[in-house]
Amino acid sequence: QVQMIESGGGLVQAGGSLRLSCAASGRTFSSYAMGWLRQVPGKEREFVARISRSSSSTYYADSVKGRFTISRDNAKNTVSLQMNRLKPEDTAVYYCAADVNSDFAYDYWGQGTQVTVSS
């Protein structure tokens, strides 16, 4: 079992920045990859970013590449998402998620944090 709590969401103007954080507990944090995904009401949840166990590999959706940066601190059991140059279309509920089986599927989810970007 992995428990996660996100923080850092809020309201920001277009062009601004936010930093999301996710604190995990339960299993050894350094043993699994982490991801951020987002969802808009009425739409499917979509992939945003992913980071490997040791931070050696990161992946981004094309829509956020060059603007968002995922990072993790295995000593603090946290994963972060730095979001710069935000756009109204980035508005969504953002979830951190754990891939404990290393199969690019996410097994555990946080409760989500709302990000709203005004134009």
Side-chain angles (χ1 to χ4, degrees):
Q1 286 275 352
V2 178
Q3 295 81 40
M4 288 163 290
I5 300 177
E6 300 101 334
S7 61
L11 173 65
V12 64
Q13 287 190 331
S17 299
L18 279 176
R19 185 176 180 87
L20 305 183
S21 295
C22 172
S25 61
R27 295 176 64 156
T28 302
F29 184 69
S30 59
S31 68
Y32 50 87
M34 292 292 295
W36 285 94
L37 298 91
R38 66 188 182 187
Q39 188 169 25
V40 175
K43 294 188 176 181
E44 290 190 359
R45 197 169 294 185
E46 67 171 354
F47 168 76
V48 175
R50 174 186 173 91
I51 189 165
S52 64
R53 292 173 291 180
S54 64
S55 303
S56 59
S57 299
T58 56
Y59 307 87
Y60 296 93
D62 287 343
S63 59
V64 308
K65 204 171 292 184
R67 299 188 297 123
F68 291 9
T69 302
I70 189 171
S71 61
R72 66 188 295 162
D73 185 336
N74 286 347
K76 296 182 179 179
N77 291 1
T78 58
V79 61
S80 298
L81 185 69
Q82 178 66 42
M83 305 186 294
N84 298 329
R85 290 184 281 136
L86 283 160
K87 304 175 180 180
E89 51 263 44
D90 294 318
T91 295
V93 177
Y94 283 70
Y95 299 88
C96 66
D99 172 11
V100 300
N101 297 310
S102 299
D103 59 359
F104 284 78
Y106 295 97
D107 310 285
Y108 299 97
W109 299 80
Q111 83 288 352
T113 186
Q114 176 71 46
V115 171
T116 303
V117 184
S118 63
S119 57

